[in-house]
Amino acid sequence: MQSTFSLLQGAPLLPIIQPNSVEEGLHLAEAIANSGLRNIEVVKRSDAAFEALSAIRQRFPELLVGMGTLLNRNHVFEALDAGAQFLITPTLSEILLDALIASGAPFLPGVASPSDVLMAHQKGVREMKFFPAHLSGGAPFLKALGSVFSDVSFCPTGGINGENAHEYLALSNVKAVGGTWMIPASAIKAKDWSSITQACQRSLTLFQEVAA
Ligand code: 3PG
């Protein structure tokens, strides 16, 4: 099983984008690349998602591009066909976990409870997404999980922002944080790509301060 977190290392911030067209996806990827961030999760929540991911891979080979919101076996293999370099799910089932393992790609299955973590752990998975992080108990919950599952690392997403990201990044069992706060919806609407670059740069600075 390949490690997702070893891929994300360096700047373990995962901006999550939901492009509504290939063109929008390329603008968002360019804005993120210009900030110095290197990782992107494209969520499969729009008709353009697969095509946008493929276009981003082609245009920005220096970026590491994964696909999220995968809910079943077909999604997993369609994402790989589109060029996804890692796979993320918002939640899990045994069937979904088996598909992720069979894919051979790095992946983070979504967990929100100790029983979810146990299910993935029993399949040998040690890297997981914690979602929806804020609503599921936030950083204190992850800290408590750490005392039971000391060999599991997490990427929390959902409700994370510039004000609370440091609470998660300070935990030893958090190896990355993700979210849409780095990609303000108002900037997408206004096609203000440079302010997205600035928002990503602010997140990168925050991460560097916590890591120092
Ligand atoms: C996800 O897929 O992880 C979430 O949609 C991100 O949540 P956020 O918009 O609160 O960052």
Side-chain angles (χ1 to χ4, degrees), residues 5-132:
F5 292 138
S6 65
L7 282 180
L8 299 181
Q9 239 171 19
L13 294 170
L14 197 53
I16 296 177
I17 65 170
Q18 182 181 328
N20 290 307
S21 66
V22 170
E23 193 197 349
E24 187 178 279
L26 289 171
H27 279 300
L28 290 170
E30 185 173 25
I32 292 166
N34 286 343
S35 75
L37 290 181
R38 283 289 162 266
N39 312 311
I40 301 184
E41 176 186 343
V42 178
V43 287
K44 196 202 147 310
R45 294 182 203 165
S46 72
D47 291 342
F50 287 124
E51 227 184 311
L53 184 141
S54 299
I56 293 169
R57 286 290 328 275
Q58 221 169 357
R59 182 82 62 88
F60 301 98
E62 71 276 23
L63 293 176
L64 184 74
V65 191
M67 179 155 264
T69 319
L70 306 176
L71 294 172
N72 59 45
R73 190 180 170 85
N74 285 349
H75 291 171
V76 165
F77 289 97
E78 283 164 9
L80 284 182
D81 286 348
Q85 292 162 289
F86 59 94
L87 309 169
I88 301 197
T89 71
T91 183
L92 48 65
S93 70
E94 195 162 358
I95 294 173
L96 189 53
L97 275 174
D98 287 343
L100 291 165
I101 292 166
S103 77
F107 66 88
L108 298 175
V111 296
S113 69
S115 50
D116 289 347
V117 177
L118 184 61
M119 190 199 287
H121 196 273
Q122 285 173 340
K123 297 265 183 193
V125 179
R126 299 291 183 267
E127 298 184 341
M128 306 175 195
K129 160 171 163 142
F130 176 49
F131 174 79

